[in-house]
Amino acid sequence: MTLSTGRRARRAARREARRALPFWRRLLPTWRIVLGAVLAALLLAVGAFAVLYVIVPLPDPNAQAVAQSNVYLYADGVTEIARTGAVNRTDVTIDKVPVPTRQAVVSAEDRTFYQNRGIDLKGMVRAGWNTLTGQGLQGGSTITQQYVKNYYLTQSRTIERKGRELLIALKVDQQRGKDEILAGYLNTSYFGRGAYGIQSAARAYYGVDVSELTLPQSAYLAALLQAPSAYDVKTATPANREKAVARWHYTLDGMVQLGFLSATERSSLTFPDPIDPQPASGLAGQAGYLVGVADDYLVGSGILDGATLKAGGWRITTTFDRTKQDAFAHAVHDELTEELDPTARPDTDSDVRVAGASVEPATGRVVAVYGGPDYAEQPYNDALRQDNQIGSTFKPVDLAAGLTSNHSSGDGRPITTETRYDGTSERPVTDGPTPYAPPNEDDIDYGPISLRQAMVKSVNSVYAQVGVDAGLGHVRETGIRLGIPADVPGMDPANTSMTLGTATPSALDLAGVYAALANHGEAHRPWAVAGLERITPGTGPVEPPELPAHNTTAALDRGTADAVTDVLRDVISPRGTGSAALDLGRPAAGKTGTTDANLSAWFAGFTPELATTVGLFRENPRTHAKEPLAGTAGYARINGGAFPTRIWTAYMSDALEGTPVQDFELEPSEGNGRPGTGVPTGAPSGTPTNARASTTPTAPSSAPDPTGGHGGTVQAPAAPAAPAAPAAPAVPRRPTTATTAGTAPAPDRTSAAPEPSAPVAPTAAASAPQESAPPQPTPGTRPTADRPTAEPPSTAPGKTSDPTRTPAPPIPPVPPTGTGKPPATPQPATSTPA
């Protein structure tokens, strides 16, 4: 048999064997066919790549070098807010850049830069795998690829752009030296603060020429390249500051790994804090703050990346209403700024700051913000900062969590707005993860009190226990669903003090939470951009990125949200801490908040049409450390029911002027109706009632409740409090309606500091005499009613001299808890993810 005959015989045998297989098996290709197909595909791919490599030219970089200003417009689409975006770039040659600066950038961005050929296949595969396995979205681009993207292409995230980037990177690496590529990358990269290029970044962050950068400074600028705006430690959230510092350490560790830096020298380096941001021109007044909110929304939502936005050429129509924005600024000026006298009281009336935001509940549109008095003088947007505890404005979250939990109060009853709890000051919280015995304001013992009444009086001992009964994890989840960011500090369910507002959402975040309550539990993420257009010179309009839909999410069921709203309406009543808001003269709901050591004071409230928050705090302009509000405007203590409520009321009055009065259409869930008034739920409250803690009636349960609803021990009724002194004559602030007559707001200070390191005995200081507090700023036309406290009657600091006003004494050192209790264990800086 010849060789050819043998081959034919073997082929015939294989065919016969294949015919003997089942039909479905004969449809599958053989390994020879598969191998041939793979080899053919590889050959085609290599050939196609070779052809593309030859025919794809280097684009003209000058075509991408043209940049314009961004134009920001009010919601009317016509009135201009500001123009920004002119490129701040000064190119430098590589010899002007210190060697340690170059090494830091290579260590941070591409440790194989001096070895690779423009692309790093291993790094791309590793980044893709890390992304697929849930380790976060990661990029595998080399410095050459990033330079190509910055200098020749665009920031668009498409497969076509990525393919061109790879081809051009290979060509650039062959045609240009590594130093030339690195210089191009350093001159075109965005570092934040409007700075393009390493020279502008050195000026923006350290006020020096690039040649004067130190090694630690170089490492920080290199760290910024990963997230330019987010990693600016002067404006970053606490979480992003930690990430920025970690990235700085990563860069220095890379320098050691690559042999650029010794381990000994590495260990001696400390983080180099940059200088404060300098205001951009054309952003004076409120304009800079509005631009900041719009930019934050565009970048935070992934609509544009920071570099593309800052490069300019966008027409941005915002959601801001100019009339409401002006009203906010005027309210702060009229109700607070005119009361301050920094010349006479430099230690207390200087550096007082306000954060505010206003959101439409039905749409989520941000209609106004207050980030500061003038962006040209204070280039920090206080409306967006996340480092002020919100205190008792968090209590509605506790209540909502309690109403929706499957848990019950300590005596086994389901939690409703009328469930009674023990309101004894400093009563230790039971079953909490950490010891906690928060005092009530002025150490008042309220005895058995319903959750509704405890919200009206802002009783700390009650809501600290409610949060634990509802489950701190559930409280955290409820807050996040309503709109509190999950990564803000103070949202750790491992700390019992979370229940009283250690969380630090921004004023805008908090406005979104209260807007969700006003919208019957349907939450929007507040949004600030209604239109986006791109104009490129010589080519006309360019298709802009698509803006996201503004759909609601069901944060709470309607019955629960409406029950919480119904309770918050009682806070704005003659007996509530928010009584100053009665001047609004229309249905409203809200909550005051004052944090430990008087470091911040808040009022968050809403009508059916508008949800608004106002926060007040003081900050050292050099160290940015928080300072007590004690002594501000001549008063020893500033509560949420004072200036924040007055500003809120003045703003809301102007913002809603001329609009029809709307009532809440509430449908609270069963068991959460308004008790004992004969008024249907959802209707305005009746006549004022006496609010003494020990005698206020509560809705009885079906069975006797000897424990007051919680605590496990029989609580003896509190003795009646002595009547307060008669009210002093008031100085009118503005005309008020008849509905404003009633009691002045009781002070509301949430002990929102971290819990003590050991249990605090409930009787250790409760019987100690409380020091009388000097007068508080309250609305001038409202007399002070009976309160169970030794505080003298309050009068408002009017625009004219008030002979009844008592000046504040020198400010003594403030104990950590405000009541002379032992020092508390520090609250962790970050929260544990749920």
Side-chain angles (χ1 to χ4, degrees):
M1 179 182 292
T2 64
L3 183 62
S4 60
T5 304
R7 283 198 297 266
R8 285 196 295 271
R10 285 193 295 272
R11 283 198 295 269
R14 285 197 298 270
R15 285 196 296 270
E16 289 299 325
R18 188 168 181 80
R19 291 192 188 100
L21 293 173
F23 173 75
W24 65 268
R25 178 64 182 82
R26 295 199 302 272
L27 294 177
L28 297 177
T30 65
W31 67 269
R32 290 180 177 83
I33 295 175
V34 172
L35 180 60
V38 170
L39 291 175
L42 287 175
L43 289 173
L44 286 173
V46 171
F49 184 83
V51 171
L52 288 173
Y53 182 80
V54 172
I55 66 174
V56 173
L58 291 182
D60 181 2
N62 293 323
Q64 302 296 327
V66 179
Q68 311 176 73
S69 295
N70 288 327
V71 180
Y72 294 80
L73 306 174
Y74 280 104
D76 61 13
V78 176
T79 309
E80 186 172 308
I81 299 173
R83 288 177 177 261
T84 67
V87 173
N88 175 21
R89 177 190 290 125
T90 303
D91 289 352
V92 292
T93 56
I94 195 66
D95 60 291
K96 301 293 184 183
V97 181
V99 171
T101 303
R102 303 180 220 169
Q103 294 171 340
V105 171
V106 169
S107 300
E109 292 295 296
D110 181 9
R111 294 179 183 179
T112 67
F113 173 67
Y114 289 110
Q115 290 79 42
N116 65 50
R117 298 294 184 182
I119 62 175
D120 181 6
L121 293 177
K122 184 188 295 184
M124 293 170 65
V125 172
R126 181 176 61 250
W129 175 255
N130 290 339
T131 300
L132 290 174
T133 55
Q135 300 180 46
L137 183 63
Q138 300 185 18
S141 296
T142 62
I143 282 178
T144 307
Q145 288 175 257
Q146 294 180 66
Y147 164 58
V148 167
K149 180 177 65 175
N150 293 340
Y151 196 55
Y152 295 108
L153 304 174
T154 69
Q155 305 290 328
S156 63
R157 300 177 180 178
T158 63
I159 296 177
E160 185 270 339
R161 196 273 295 162
K162 191 68 176 178
R164 293 186 67 205
E165 176 188 303
L166 293 173
L167 292 169
I168 296 171
L170 289 170
K171 278 196 169 185
V172 167
D173 186 76
Q174 284 198 349
Q175 297 177 12
R176 298 181 183 174
K178 292 291 186 181
D179 281 350
E180 187 179 358
I181 293 172
L182 184 59
Y185 175 65
L186 290 173
N187 283 323
T188 58
S189 294
Y190 180 61
F191 289 83
R193 297 192 182 185
Y196 285 83
I198 190 69
Q199 168 66 14
S200 297
R203 285 286 178 190
Y205 285 91
Y206 293 106
V208 299
D209 220 42
V210 63
S211 60
E212 301 174 64
L213 286 173
T214 65
L215 173 56
Q217 292 171 346
S218 299
Y220 175 59
L221 294 183
L224 282 169
L225 289 166
Q226 187 180 62
S229 299
Y231 286 0
D232 185 344
V233 296
K234 287 296 185 179
T235 59
T237 64
N240 280 340
R241 179 184 172 87
E242 288 186 6
K243 293 177 183 177
V245 174
R247 183 70 177 176
W248 179 77
H249 284 295
Y250 168 83
T251 301
L252 292 176
D253 292 341
M255 295 184 72
V256 174
Q257 176 187 330
L258 295 176
F260 297 145
L261 181 67
S262 70
T264 302
E265 186 179 3
R266 160 72 179 88
S267 63
S268 67
L269 300 178
T270 57
F271 185 79
D273 272 323
I275 62 176
D276 290 339
Q278 302 304 302
S281 59
L283 298 178
Q286 294 296 303
Y289 306 121
L290 302 185
V291 167
V293 173
D295 286 355
D296 183 74
Y297 173 72
L298 288 170
V299 176
S301 300
I303 301 168
L304 296 174
D305 62 73
T308 301
L309 177 62
K310 292 295 183 182
W314 299 97
R315 180 179 293 114
I316 301 163
T317 302
T318 70
T319 59
F320 305 121
D321 183 298
R322 183 173 187 176
T323 301
K324 292 180 174 62
Q325 185 62 41
D326 291 344
F328 220 142
H330 292 153
V332 173
H333 178 269
D334 294 346
E335 301 299 329
L336 174 65
T337 308
E338 285 195 347
E339 302 284 356
L340 302 177
D341 191 345
T343 302
R345 296 182 292 270
D347 293 335
T348 59
D349 283 16
S350 300
D351 310 314
V352 179
R353 302 170 76 145
V354 175
S358 191
V359 174
E360 285 184 350
T363 65
R365 293 173 68 249
V366 184
V367 297
V369 296
Y370 187 85
D374 188 339
Y375 190 79
E377 298 177 4
Q378 180 197 298
Y380 301 96
N381 196 333
D382 290 333
L384 296 178
R385 64 189 306 158
Q386 295 177 334
D387 59 353
N388 288 303
Q389 292 183 347
I390 59 172
S392 289
T393 58
F394 189 81
K395 286 175 182 172
V397 178
D398 294 325
L399 178 58
L403 298 180
T404 57
S405 70
N406 294 321
H407 302 189
S408 62
S409 62
D411 60 356
R413 291 174 301 156
I415 298 175
T416 72
T417 60
E418 311 314 318
T419 301
R420 288 188 291 172
Y421 273 73
D422 182 356
T424 301
S425 183
E426 296 185 283
R427 183 184 63 75
V429 175
T430 61
D431 301 324
T434 53
Y436 197 34
N440 296 330
E441 180 68 22
D442 295 328
D443 266 333
I444 298 172
D445 291 333
Y446 289 91
I449 187 171
S450 71
L451 292 186
R452 180 184 296 273
Q453 294 163 337
M455 185 74 75
V456 171
K457 292 300 181 185
S458 202
V459 182
N460 294 332
S461 58
V462 168
Y463 276 94
Q465 187 65 60
V466 170
V468 171
D469 287 351
L472 295 182
H474 181 52
V475 172
R476 170 185 162 83
E477 292 168 4
T478 301
I480 292 171
R481 287 200 308 271
L482 285 167
I484 296 178
D487 60 351
V488 299
M491 284 282 282
D492 186 355
N495 290 305
T496 311
S497 61
M498 184 189 78
T499 55
L500 297 187
T502 57
T504 61
S506 69
L508 183 55
D509 297 329
L510 189 59
V513 171
Y514 277 69
L517 294 174
N519 199 33
H520 309 293
E522 295 293 318
H524 287 277
R525 181 194 171 195
W527 52 284
V529 174
L532 184 64
E533 293 180 77
R534 172 72 172 168
I535 303 297
T536 301
T539 62
V542 174
E543 189 69 24
E546 184 177 353
L547 294 176
H550 306 294
N551 300 319
T552 60
T553 58
L556 297 173
D557 63 86
R558 176 163 186 164
T560 299
D562 285 0
V564 175
T565 295
D566 190 48
V567 171
L568 295 182
R569 291 174 62 245
D570 284 351
V571 174
I572 302 179
S573 69
R575 64 185 183 276
T577 58
S579 61
L582 285 169
D583 281 355
L584 182 60
R586 62 170 71 209
K591 185 69 188 77
T592 54
T594 312
T595 59
D596 188 70
N598 210 185
L599 293 182
S600 61
W602 290 84
F603 186 76
F606 54 90
T607 65
E609 309 95 327
L610 207 56
T612 301
T613 56
V614 178
L616 187 68
F617 63 100
R618 289 185 65 232
E619 180 176 285
N620 186 298
R622 293 178 298 278
T623 66
H624 302 291
K626 298 297 185 300
E627 298 177 341
L629 288 167
T632 300
Y635 296 101
R637 184 173 61 195
I638 301 297
N639 298 304
F643 287 120
T645 307
R646 286 172 49 180
I647 293 169
W648 183 92
T649 306
Y651 161 72
M652 293 287 281
S653 296
D654 289 344
L656 297 174
E657 184 177 4
T659 63
V661 175
Q662 296 184 31
D663 202 354
F664 291 107
E665 297 178 358
L666 302 183
E667 300 174 6
S669 52
E670 185 177 357
N672 295 308
R674 190 180 299 273
T677 62
V679 180
T681 302
S685 300
T687 57
T689 60
N690 191 299
R692 291 187 185 278
S694 61
T695 59
T696 303
T698 60
S701 64
S702 57
D705 179 23
T707 68
H710 199 88
T713 58
V714 176
Q715 179 67 38
V731 179
R733 179 171 63 84
R734 60 158 59 92
T736 59
T737 63
T739 60
T740 62
T743 63
D748 166 46
R749 178 190 55 75
T750 296
S751 182
E755 51 277 352
S757 55
V760 181
T763 59
S767 60
Q770 299 296 309
E771 182 179 354
S772 299
Q776 288 297 296
T778 57
T781 58
R782 188 171 298 106
T784 302
D786 295 343
R787 296 178 58 239
T789 175
E791 184 177 0
S794 303
T795 57
K799 304 299 186 291
T800 59
S801 176
D802 181 0
T804 66
R805 173 174 165 181
T806 304
I811 303 169
V814 181
T817 62
T819 56
K821 305 301 180 295
T825 304
Q827 174 78 23
T830 59
S831 57
T832 303

